[in-house]
C-alpha cells in the first residue's frame, strides 16, 4: 500500500500530549507558558536530578515530582532556567508530598522563560505517560521513514521509465499535498506542480516569496538544494507544507535526490527544464485552453517582465530554439522561446513601452537570417500587443502567417519580418480555414475534382493557378506537352463547370483551392 501524508500521525505538541486520555486522568493544569503549548515534543524524560538540564538535547517533556527541589527556592528557579537553556519542550510537576500546590518560584521562572509548566493534581504513574508518548513518537518516525522510502522508490521508478520532469513533480505534490516549485539560482521558476489554484496563488506573489526563500523556512515553506559535486544549480520548494517540518524536510530531500538523478541521466541539461517551462507556458497561450489572465503568474515567475510592457509575438520557421535563446541574450531582448509543432518555434518578446517594437523585431529577424541564411528561416510576426490578454491572439496570428509561407518558394523576396499583410490572400485563407462557411465553399467549388480519383487533375489546377494561368510554365513543370495540358484543363473545366479564362470564375476556384490546401495542413 502506498503511504501518503494523510496516513501519518500529526506531530505531537505539548498541547496534544495534554489531551491524551492517560494525561487527562491526572487532571493537568497549565500554570505557566500557556502561549507556548504548540512546541513539538521530541521525547519524554523522567528526571528528579536538580541538574537535569545537562542531560537534555532539546525538545524533551520533563516529568518530575520535585522531591529534590522542595524547600530550596534557589534550586527551584535554577531547575527551570536549566530546562530553558536546554530548550526543553515543557516541564510537568506531579503534586504530592513534595509540592501540594504549584510552587510560585518555579511558576514565575517558567513564565519569564516562556517554558510551559504543567501540574498534575491527581497521582499519576509517569511510566504510563512515557510509554504512551514514546510509542506514538516511534510510530510517527517509522511512518516518516516509510514515506521517505516509498517516495524514493516511486520517483526512481518514474526516472527509470523515462518520465519527464513534470511527472516527477506531480508525484512529489501528491505526497506533500501542497504546491511544489522548482527554481534556478536566480529564482526563475522551472517547474510547478499541485492544485492549479494553489500554485497560481504562490506564483502570483513569487517575486516577494523568492526574495525570502533564499534562507528562510517557516509556515510550511521547506526547501532543498539541487546540485552535486560542489555545484548548486537550483532548489525545490514545498510551499505551505502542512505536516511536521522534519517529515517535510525528509520529503524535500528525497525529491531533490530524484531531480538531481533525473538531470544526470538527461546529460546534465538543466537548461532543458527552462525550455520545458517556456514551452508549456507558450503552448497554453497559443491553445487558448487556459485564459491568458490565469497564465500571468506563471509568466512572471518564469522571468518574463509583464508590467507596463509591449509584447511582440513571433513564430520562426526552421529556427533552432537554443540558437534563438542565445540571440535574445546577445541582443539583450527579454523573452521566452519554445518549440511548437511542425518545425515552428514561438518567441514572445517583452519590451519597454518606450522602445520601437517593430524596429527591434526587425533587428532580431535580420540578425537571425544573417546567421542561418534567408532561404532557411522565416520570421513571422503579429502586431505588437500592449495588453497581456491579447497575447494569445497575437501568437496564433503569427503562427498563421508562418504557416501561410511555409510552402512558399519566395522566401528570399519576403521582408525580414513577415506579417499578415505580406501573405495577402493566402494569409487570409489561413486565418479563415476553420470557418464552416469557408469549408463549405471549398467543398462546393471543387466537388467535381475532389470526387475524381482516376486522373491527377488537382495538382495541374494548383500549378496552373499558382503560375498566373501560364500554360507553357504549367506544361513544363508537369512534364507534359501543350496539347496534353489543354486536354487536362478542358477536363478540369468540365468537372467543375467553370471557364478558367474568366477571371472571376478562376479567382473563385483559386480561393477554394487555397482553402482546401490550408485545411489539409
Amino acid at each position: 500500500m502506498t503511504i501518503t501524508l494523510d496516513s501519518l500521525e500529526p506531530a505531537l505538541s505539548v498541547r496534544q500530549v495534554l489531551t491524551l486520555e492517560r494525561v487527562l486522568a491526572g487532571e493537568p493544569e497549565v500554570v505557566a507558558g500557556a502561549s507556548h503549548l504548540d512546541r513539538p515534543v521530541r521525547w519524554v524524560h523522567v528526571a528528579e536530578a536538580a541538574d537535569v538540564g545537562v542531560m537534555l538535547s532539546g525538545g524533551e517533556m520533563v516529568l518530575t515530582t520535585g522531591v529534590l527541589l522542595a524547600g530550596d527556592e534557589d534550586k527551584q528557579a535554577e531547575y527551570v532556567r536549566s530546562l530553558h537553556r536546554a530548550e526543553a519542550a515543557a516541564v510537568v510537576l506531579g503534586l504530592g508530598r513534595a509540592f501540594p500546590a504549584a510552587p510560585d518560584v518555579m511558576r514565575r521562572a517558567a513564565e519569564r522563560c516562556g517554558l510551559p509548566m504543567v501540574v498534575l493534581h491527581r497521582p499519576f504513574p509517569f511510566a504510563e505517560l512515557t510509554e504512551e508518548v514514546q510509542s506514538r513518537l516511534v510510530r510517527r518516525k517509522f511512518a516518516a521513514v516509510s514515506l521517505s522510502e516509498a517516495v524514493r522508490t516511486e520517483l526512481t521508478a518514474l526516472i527509470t521509465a523515462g518520465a519527464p520532469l513534470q511527472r516527477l513533480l506531480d508525484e512529489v505534490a501528491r505526497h506533500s499535498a501542497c504546491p511544489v516549485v522548482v527554481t534556478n539560482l536566480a529564482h526563475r521558476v522551472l517547474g510547478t506542480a499541485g492544485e492549479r489554484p494553489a500554485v497560481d496563488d504562490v506564483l502570483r506573489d513569487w517575486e516577494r516569496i523568492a526574495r525570502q526563500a533564499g534562507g528562510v523556512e517557516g509556515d510550511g515553506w521547506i526547501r532543498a538544494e539541487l546540485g552535486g559535486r560542489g555545484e548548486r544549480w537550483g532548489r525545490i520548494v514545498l510551499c505551505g507544507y502542512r505536516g511536521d517540518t522534519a517529515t517535510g524536510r525528509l520529503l524535500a530531500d528525497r525529491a531533490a535526490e530524484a531531480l538531481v538523478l533525473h538531470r544526470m541521466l538527461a546529460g546534465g541539461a538543466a537548461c532543458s527544464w527552462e525550455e520545458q517551462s517556456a514551452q508549456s507556458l507558450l503552448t497554453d497561450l497559443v491553445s487558448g485552453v487556459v485564459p491568458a489572465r490565469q497564465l500571468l503568474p506563471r509568466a512572471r515567475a518564469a522571468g518574463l517582465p509583464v508590467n507596463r510592457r509591449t509584447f511582440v509575438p513571433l513564430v520562426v520557421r526552421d529556427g533552432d530554439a537554443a540558437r534563438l535563446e542565445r540571440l535574445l541574450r546577445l541582443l539583450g531582448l527579454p523573452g521566452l522561446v519554445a518549440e511548437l509543432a511542425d518545425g515552428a518555434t514561438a518567441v514572445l518578446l517583452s519590451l519597454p513601452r518606450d522602445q520601437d517594437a517593430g524596429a527591434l523585431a526587425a533587428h532580431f529577424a535580420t540578425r537571425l537570417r544573417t546567421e542561418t541564411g534567408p532561404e532557411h528561416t522565416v520570421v513571422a510576426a503579429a502586431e505588437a500587443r500592449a495588453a497581456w490578454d491579447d497575447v494569445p491572439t497575437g501568437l496564433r496570428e503569427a503562427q498563421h502567417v508562418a504557416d501561410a509561407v511555409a510552402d512558399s518558394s519566395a522566401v528570399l523576396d519576403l521582408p525580414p519580418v513577415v506579417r499578415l499583410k505580406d501573405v495577402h490572400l493566402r494569409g487570409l485563407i489561413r486565418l479563415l480555414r476553420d470557418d464552416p462557411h469557408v469549408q463549405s465553399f471549398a467543398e462546393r467549388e471543387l466537388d467535381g475534382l475532389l470526387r475524381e480519383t482516376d486522373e491527377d487533375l488537382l495538382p495541374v489546377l494548383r500549378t496552373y493557378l499558382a503560375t498566373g494561368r501560364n500554360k507553357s510554365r504549367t506544361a513544363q513543370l508537369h512534364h507534359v506537352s501543350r496539347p496534353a495540358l489543354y486536354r487536362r484543363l478542358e477536363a478540369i473545366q468540365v468537372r467543375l463547370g467553370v471557364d478558367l479564362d474568366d477571371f472571376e470564375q478562376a479567382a473563385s476556384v483559386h480561393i477554394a483551392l487555397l482553402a482546401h490546401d490550408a485545411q489539409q495542413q
Side-chain angles (χ1 to χ4, degrees):
M1 180 183 70
T2 299
I3 299 175
T4 67
L5 294 183
D6 293 336
S7 65
L8 292 178
E9 291 190 37
L12 284 178
S13 65
V14 174
R15 188 188 309 278
Q16 291 168 326
V17 170
L18 297 180
T19 62
L20 297 178
E21 186 176 349
R22 293 184 179 182
V23 179
L24 292 174
E27 296 182 7
E29 178 189 359
V30 180
V31 296
S35 61
H36 300 279
L37 295 181
D38 290 323
R39 286 182 176 180
V41 176
R42 188 182 60 81
W43 208 244
V44 177
H45 192 66
V46 180
E48 299 293 352
D51 59 348
V52 64
V54 300
M55 296 181 286
L56 305 179
S57 58
E60 295 91 351
M61 174 179 277
V62 177
L63 311 180
T64 184
T65 61
V67 293
L68 299 181
L69 304 175
D72 191 331
E73 292 187 349
D74 289 339
K75 281 187 177 181
Q76 294 170 20
E78 177 57 26
Y79 182 83
V80 172
R81 288 194 293 269
S82 69
L83 293 179
H84 170 64
R85 288 193 297 270
E87 298 183 349
V91 58
V92 178
L93 176 65
L95 301 181
R97 286 177 295 177
F99 292 104
D104 288 339
V105 172
M106 292 183 69
R107 183 180 55 78
R108 288 195 299 271
E111 191 65 45
R112 284 194 299 271
C113 294
L115 177 70
M117 180 175 175
V118 181
V119 297
L120 300 175
H121 289 278
R122 293 177 62 86
F124 183 87
F126 286 166
E128 291 187 8
L129 174 58
T130 302
E131 179 184 7
E132 175 76 12
V133 175
Q134 312 297 51
S135 63
R136 285 175 178 263
L137 291 173
V138 169
R139 289 199 301 270
R140 174 183 158 274
K141 290 184 178 181
F142 175 76
V145 172
S146 298
L147 169 67
S148 172
E149 290 307 309
V151 170
R152 173 182 286 165
T153 299
E154 292 175 15
L155 294 181
T156 302
L158 289 174
I159 294 172
T160 304
L165 170 66
Q166 188 60 54
R167 182 68 184 86
L168 270 65
L169 296 183
D170 289 340
E171 191 68 16
V172 175
R174 184 178 71 83
H175 281 289
S176 64
C178 70
V180 175
V181 177
V182 174
T183 74
N184 61 14
L185 294 181
H187 306 299
R188 179 174 176 177
V189 174
L190 307 180
T192 63
E195 295 292 333
R196 196 72 253 170
V199 172
D200 287 343
D201 286 342
V202 169
L203 296 184
R204 193 170 291 114
D205 200 24
W206 186 251
E207 291 182 7
R208 179 187 64 81
I209 292 170
R211 287 195 294 269
Q212 299 177 352
V216 178
E217 284 192 2
D219 298 326
W221 290 80
I222 300 173
R223 65 186 180 92
E225 301 299 324
L226 302 176
R229 298 177 181 176
E231 178 188 7
R232 292 189 305 115
W233 44 266
R235 60 177 55 92
I236 181 170
V237 185
L238 307 186
C239 308
Y241 174 71
R242 294 188 295 273
D244 69 284
T245 302
T247 303
R249 287 199 183 108
L250 204 58
L251 178 58
D253 288 342
R254 295 296 83 77
E257 290 174 3
L259 296 185
V260 171
L261 178 60
H262 183 276
R263 180 194 175 193
M264 289 174 57
L265 294 179
C271 62
S272 66
W273 290 5
E274 297 184 10
E275 294 168 3
Q276 291 176 32
S277 175
Q279 183 173 25
S280 173
L281 174 60
L282 291 184
T283 299
D284 286 345
L285 280 170
V286 171
S287 69
V289 174
V290 182
R293 181 58 52 180
Q294 294 182 19
L295 296 173
L296 190 57
R298 287 171 57 188
R300 183 182 291 112
L304 186 73
V306 295
N307 295 329
R308 300 185 59 79
R309 308 292 286 191
T310 297
F311 303 100
V312 182
L314 305 173
V315 171
V316 180
R317 274 285 171 190
D318 300 324
D320 177 68
R323 181 193 296 273
L324 297 177
E325 283 272 15
R326 288 194 298 271
L327 183 56
L328 287 182
R329 289 194 294 268
L330 178 65
L331 299 178
L333 297 176
L336 295 178
V337 177
E339 291 184 0
L340 303 178
D342 302 325
T345 303
V347 179
L348 180 61
L349 300 181
S350 175
L351 307 174
R353 291 186 176 176
D354 59 353
Q355 293 186 350
D356 188 335
L360 288 175
H363 181 51
F364 169 78
T366 300
R367 285 291 300 269
L368 179 62
R369 297 184 78 185
T370 298
E371 291 184 9
T372 61
E375 70 277 9
H376 298 300
T377 303
V378 172
V379 180
E383 294 302 321
R385 261 56 178 181
W388 174 258
D389 287 345
D390 295 332
V391 169
T393 303
L395 284 169
R396 288 192 290 272
E397 179 181 319
Q399 192 171 29
H400 282 307
V401 173
D403 290 342
V405 297
D407 57 350
S408 174
S409 59
V411 175
L412 290 170
D413 298 329
L414 293 173
V417 178
V418 186
R419 303 183 185 277
L420 196 58
K421 63 182 179 62
D422 299 314
V423 291
H424 307 293
L425 181 60
R426 188 182 297 273
L428 175 64
I429 295 300
R430 281 277 179 173
L431 287 174
L432 299 177
R433 64 178 177 176
D434 294 326
D435 188 298
H437 295 90
V438 174
Q439 295 172 353
S440 297
F441 169 76
E443 292 285 334
R444 185 172 60 253
E445 288 289 300
L446 301 175
D447 180 63
L449 287 183
L450 296 179
R451 290 187 288 106
E452 178 60 50
T453 58
D454 294 335
E455 296 184 53
D456 193 19
L457 298 181
L458 202 60
V460 171
L461 175 63
R462 184 180 292 111
T463 303
Y464 180 63
L465 295 175
T467 58
R469 295 183 291 174
N470 186 318
K471 294 184 175 76
S472 298
R473 181 61 176 155
T474 302
Q476 181 183 5
L477 290 173
H478 283 271
H479 307 289
V480 297
S481 63
R482 298 260 313 219
L485 175 66
Y486 294 156
R487 290 193 294 272
R488 293 189 184 187
L489 291 176
E490 182 64 29
I492 290 172
Q493 294 182 101
V494 170
R495 286 185 170 85
L496 295 182
V498 298
D499 179 5
L500 293 179
D501 290 330
D502 181 89
F503 176 78
E504 184 174 338
Q505 294 184 52
S508 181
V509 172
H510 194 187
I511 293 172
L513 188 56
L514 289 175
H516 170 75
D517 290 345
Q519 292 159 14
Q520 305 306 307
Q521 298 178 2

